[in-house]
Amino acid sequence: MQLYNTLSAEERAQLIDEAGKQRLTLSFYAYAKISDPKKFRDELFIAWNALDALGRIYVAHEGINAQMSIPSAQMDAFRETLEVYDFMKGIRLNVAVEHDDHSFLKLTIKVRPKIVADGLNDETFDVTNKGVHLKAKEFNNLLEDPNTIVVDFRNHYESEVGHFEGAITPDVETFRESLPIINEQLQDFKEDKNLLMYCTGGIRCEKASAYFKHQGFKNVYQLEGGIIEYARQVKEEDIESKFFGKNFVFDHRLGERITDDIVAQCHQCGKPCDNHTNCANEGCHLLFIQCDDCKAAMENCCSTECLDIIHLPIEEQVKLRKGVQVGNKVFRKGKSEALKFKKSRELPHKPLAKAETKDIRKKIAVKKTLIGKAEHYYTKSKIAQFLIAKNGLSIGDKVLICGPTTGEEELIITELFANGIPCETAKEGDQITFSTPFRIRLSDKLYKVLS
């Protein structure tokens, strides 16, 4: 009885092309109590292999998480294989906006400790006590509420190419990293803010929403079906898309376009671009954004070092990789000193030259005083709202806005409103607003530059 793949990806691709039949790319998940994940895994493989279903699926005691490619003619039969299990009866299948017959070329079903690694070891945490699901139109409406905080629970390389405007986008590589970061940033807003969250297909937000309810947040909402389902509803119901750019997907396509907006840039030259690629050096395989010009010049490589390596004889390349964790065995998603235009604030820094060191010391020596913290950002009008905690602020003052995602941004106040009224000077306790050419986040702090 076959329980594993017997064909290579190349052989499977050839069979798909020869068959000439349309395939659909889809995803789904379900949290449930599965007593024997190994038995469940084997049952699924037997049923799906018979339907020529392909994909990457994880099963665990807590449920199932699947991204798949299904022959369109087999969709009814595929649904029947799900209906066998009570917890998957009537399950929503997130069908991709764009399709690629080669999105998956193997059927891989793995048993994991969890379907979404969260780093939590709390037996009192109930993953089924989730936040309120919102459809696309409801999600859009809540986005417009100034009392709403929206959080992207995907990783940095996903949110980089597409996101909802005004969203907090943590610079993380794993879901487990984002939970404590966001929890710490939003401690002051448990009672009085709407916590609105989204991810690719909904599975991470399902767990995140339960986690934040467990942490005491009162008004927790999540985008039903994630960006995939949102895009489908936007298209079918002619709804304005509040999501801009591409939705990163974990298959051969690496992304599907939601709007024509390009919100990212080539990591090598800075040109507007949102196409991910993997470095051609098998000892690197770094995921990064590369435009067509750089792709041609660099031959799909992330650095000149990797470019040199791919021109070595295969035997020498293999020798370089021997005994080293390389390529797909290392989780390296777009963070490298070679990528000059990668907007990550957690890149390792090279030793500074003397001139560079002098400039940085001069910057650090700038005197500033903390005067307030961010409360909201109005995305359409590009207006920032802060609460003055101490001292004051006047037109003509230079301010510094700092935060883990925003970084450090300076500007001079040319127009100022205090408690909704135009003013020359704002004082302690005032709620102030002023325009900013960049987005701010709730974790940002406001400083007045003194010299």
Side-chain angles (χ1 to χ4, degrees):
M1 186 178 297
Q2 184 182 342
L3 293 175
Y4 298 92
N5 284 285
T6 57
L7 296 177
S8 68
E10 292 75 16
E11 290 171 327
R12 180 71 70 176
Q14 184 176 346
L15 288 177
I16 289 173
D17 291 339
E18 290 173 355
K21 296 179 180 178
Q22 183 188 22
R23 302 181 68 90
L24 301 177
T25 302
L26 56 86
S27 63
F28 65 91
Y29 69 90
Y31 285 100
K33 293 182 179 179
I34 300 174
S35 58
D36 190 343
K38 175 63 168 61
K39 179 174 177 290
F40 178 58
R41 178 258 174 222
D42 291 346
E43 291 172 354
L44 293 180
F45 192 96
I46 292 169
W48 291 347
N49 189 54
L51 299 177
D52 192 26
L54 307 172
R56 185 186 302 113
I57 302 95
Y58 300 130
V59 298
H61 285 292
E62 69 174 6
I64 180 171
N65 178 19
Q67 293 85 41
M68 303 187 69
S69 170
I70 312 292
S72 57
Q74 297 284 14
M75 277 300 292
D76 289 341
F78 177 72
R79 281 188 177 276
E80 289 177 6
T81 67
L82 304 179
E83 298 285 333
V84 169
Y85 305 93
D86 288 339
F87 72 90
M88 289 198 287
K89 286 183 177 178
I91 193 170
R92 180 188 62 250
L93 302 180
N94 292 327
V95 180
V97 177
E98 300 174 354
H99 296 290
D100 182 338
D101 290 344
H102 294 172
S103 58
F104 291 99
L105 295 173
K106 290 186 178 182
L107 177 59
T108 304
I109 310 178
K110 295 183 178 181
V111 175
R112 291 284 180 85
K114 294 185 179 183
I115 56 174
V116 176
D118 52 30
L120 303 177
N121 293 298
D122 184 351
E123 293 183 0
T124 66
F125 172 51
D126 180 7
V127 72
T128 64
N129 183 26
K130 58 199 176 188
V132 178
H133 282 115
L134 298 178
K135 296 189 181 300
K137 190 175 292 185
E138 298 168 320
F139 189 86
N140 281 359
N141 290 339
L142 201 56
L143 271 177
E144 295 299 317
D145 187 337
N147 206 42
T148 292
I149 300 169
V150 59
V151 182
D152 189 325
F153 274 99
R154 300 173 302 154
N155 304 319
H156 69 87
Y157 53 90
E158 298 174 78
S159 60
E160 187 173 26
V161 294
H163 49 257
F164 284 95
E165 189 173 1
I168 296 173
T169 55
D171 186 15
V172 297
E173 289 195 3
T174 62
F175 172 71
R176 71 173 69 192
E177 293 175 64
S178 62
L179 293 178
I181 290 174
I182 298 301
N183 188 35
E184 182 180 354
Q185 288 185 12
L186 304 184
Q187 278 299 305
D188 296 336
F189 305 101
K190 288 184 175 182
E191 300 283 343
D192 59 344
K193 295 286 186 180
N194 301 316
L195 178 54
L196 184 58
M197 56 187 68
Y198 68 93
C199 59
T200 305
I203 187 170
R204 285 174 278 187
C205 287
E206 192 92 356
K207 181 169 280 190
S209 70
Y211 170 79
F212 282 96
K213 288 187 69 175
H214 183 65
Q215 292 295 318
F217 287 79
K218 301 301 182 186
N219 308 307
V220 182
Y221 303 87
Q222 58 177 306
L223 179 58
E224 183 180 11
I227 301 164
I228 296 173
E229 176 63 13
Y230 178 87
R232 187 193 67 79
Q233 291 179 24
V234 162
K235 185 177 181 180
E236 290 190 359
E237 300 174 28
D238 195 25
I239 300 170
E240 179 188 2
S241 178
K242 300 289 186 179
F243 182 94
F244 298 98
K246 262 185 177 179
N247 180 28
F248 184 95
V249 293
F250 292 87
D251 59 51
H252 172 75
R253 298 169 298 158
L254 294 179
E256 58 180 17
R257 185 157 299 288
I258 308 300
T259 70
D260 292 332
D261 303 277
I262 307 294
V263 301
Q265 60 186 154
C266 174
H267 288 164
Q268 291 175 318
C269 73
K271 183 186 300 181
C273 175
D274 57 9
N275 295 324
H276 277 101
T277 189
N278 284 110
C279 181
N281 174 17
E282 290 297 326
C284 175
H285 212 64
L286 183 76
L287 179 73
F288 66 107
I289 298 175
Q290 187 178 50
C291 69
D292 290 340
D293 290 341
C294 289
K295 188 182 292 286
M298 296 294 293
E299 299 179 43
N300 272 65
C301 289
C302 71
S303 64
T304 53
E305 290 79 6
C306 286
L307 183 59
D308 290 340
I309 288 173
I310 68 168
H311 288 138
L312 294 173
I314 296 297
E315 296 77 15
E316 290 189 39
Q317 294 185 44
V318 172
K319 188 180 297 184
L320 287 173
R321 300 196 295 267
K322 190 174 182 180
V324 181
Q325 287 285 84
V326 296
N328 286 323
K329 296 178 182 178
V330 181
F331 194 73
R332 299 182 63 219
K333 302 295 183 182
K335 291 189 175 183
S336 165
E337 277 292 339
L339 303 176
K340 302 301 182 184
F341 292 90
K342 165 66 180 178
K343 292 184 176 179
S344 170
R345 304 191 184 278
E346 295 185 357
L347 289 175
H349 295 292
K350 290 181 178 178
L352 297 168
K354 289 183 179 179
E356 292 175 310
T357 305
K358 182 179 178 181
D359 290 341
I360 285 181
R361 285 175 178 168
K362 183 179 179 182
K363 184 176 181 180
I364 292 173
V366 172
K367 294 181 180 179
K368 61 185 185 294
T369 182
L370 177 66
I371 62 172
K373 63 178 183 178
E375 284 197 322
H376 190 66
Y377 183 65
Y378 298 89
T379 56
K380 286 188 175 180
S381 54
K382 300 188 184 304
I383 297 293
Q385 178 178 305
F386 288 85
L387 178 66
I388 298 293
K390 59 181 179 180
N391 300 319
L393 184 67
S394 301
I395 290 178
D397 285 344
K398 179 184 286 189
V399 297
L400 179 68
I401 298 173
C402 301
T405 303
T406 304
E408 295 187 359
E409 299 283 356
E410 287 187 357
L411 58 83
I412 295 175
I413 302 298
T414 57
E415 188 176 24
L416 183 63
F417 289 78
N419 305 314
I421 301 172
C423 67
E424 293 288 328
T425 300
K427 62 184 185 302
E428 182 178 331
D430 283 345
Q431 190 178 65
I432 64 167
T433 54
F434 53 87
S435 61
T436 61
F438 51 87
R439 187 178 67 201
I440 67 160
R441 286 87 176 171
L442 287 172
S443 55
D444 290 349
K445 289 181 172 56
L446 180 67
Y447 295 86
K448 182 194 292 187
V449 177
L450 302 179
S451 62

